[in-house]
Amino acid sequence: MAEITLGKALKVKNRLTGRLAKVQADIQAYNSVPAGQADQVNVPALMKTREELVGALVSLKTAINDANREAQRDIYDLAEKKATAQFLAGVNTRHGPQPAVYPNTTEVSYVAALKKADVDGLVAGLEKEIDQLQDRLDQFNHDRKIEVDGRILELAS
């Protein structure tokens, strides 16, 4: 067993996820090939590698989840604040008269309940809260240690 920070564990998880995606893409691409190219890639060996990567990911995600329990509220809060900022960025703030777009049509006057300045202010406030939460989580991830099987680290390197 090896002791690593939660931050490192998250990086390892991302690397394992990338490796899994590559192995799966290779299995899908090389499982059925023209007869003369059948020995280029060992698909059964890749299937074993895939199984090992999946097992490592499940173990690592479980350890990360267990370690995150006391920070879970901040994690969810951060995700929802980011989603809210993204939602607000898509809100139509068109306000006031807009010229006719086509001939024989009339000018349309729009009324926005939330003006652009309102939305920009809300997003700026959210971004400040997001930064504070992210800083707190970054510190938590740096301070918190977890134990992981050394094989997981080997698979990620």
Side-chain angles (χ1 to χ4, degrees), residues 20-86:
L20 178 61
K22 168 97 173 70
V23 166
Q24 289 180 156
D26 286 349
I27 291 167
Q28 290 173 329
Y30 296 105
N31 185 57
S32 180
V33 294
Q37 300 172 7
D39 293 334
Q40 287 183 345
V41 176
N42 185 342
V43 173
L46 286 176
M47 288 296 292
K48 285 185 169 91
T49 300
R50 182 191 178 281
E51 185 177 333
E52 191 173 15
L53 287 168
V54 167
L57 269 171
V58 168
S59 294
L60 187 57
K61 286 179 178 182
T62 301
I64 290 169
N65 184 60
D66 291 346
N68 273 335
R69 284 206 207 299
E70 69 185 68
Q72 207 63 56
R73 182 165 191 80
D74 283 347
I75 292 167
Y76 292 144
D77 198 18
L78 177 64
E80 293 308 320
K81 286 183 187 311
K82 286 180 176 181
T84 300
Q86 185 176 12

Side-chain angles (χ1 to χ4, degrees), residues 8-147:
K8 173 75 172 175
L10 292 168
K11 290 176 187 173
V12 169
K13 178 186 70 79
N14 290 340
R15 181 168 293 145
L16 287 175
T17 301
R19 295 247 162 92
L20 178 61
K22 168 97 173 70
V23 166
Q24 289 180 156
D26 286 349
I27 291 167
Q28 290 173 329
Y30 296 105
N31 185 57
S32 180
V33 294
Q37 300 172 7
D39 293 334
Q40 287 183 345
V41 176
N42 185 342
V43 173
L46 286 176
M47 288 296 292
K48 285 185 169 91
T49 300
R50 182 191 178 281
E51 185 177 333
E52 191 173 15
L53 287 168
V54 167
L57 269 171
V58 168
S59 294
L60 187 57
K61 286 179 178 182
T62 301
I64 290 169
N65 184 60
D66 291 346
N68 273 335
R69 284 206 207 299
E70 69 185 68
Q72 207 63 56
R73 182 165 191 80
D74 283 347
I75 292 167
Y76 292 144
D77 198 18
L78 177 64
E80 293 308 320
K81 286 183 187 311
K82 286 180 176 181
T84 300
Q86 185 176 12
F87 159 73
L88 288 170
V91 170
N92 183 344
T93 57
R94 188 179 321 158
H95 185 77
Q98 300 292 312
V101 178
Y102 301 105
N104 300 327
T105 60
T106 59
E107 177 180 275
V108 176
S109 188
Y110 289 88
V111 178
L114 296 172
K115 313 294 188 288
K116 182 175 181 342
D118 299 327
V119 171
D120 289 348
L122 290 169
V123 169
L126 282 168
E127 287 172 344
K128 184 176 180 183
E129 293 175 34
I130 287 167
D131 289 344
Q132 291 169 347
L133 280 168
Q134 189 64 64
D135 288 346
R136 194 158 61 229
L137 286 170
D138 287 346
Q139 188 64 49
F140 179 83
N141 290 344
H142 176 74
D143 294 342
R144 187 65 165 218
K145 305 264 190 213
I146 64 171
E147 285 194 0

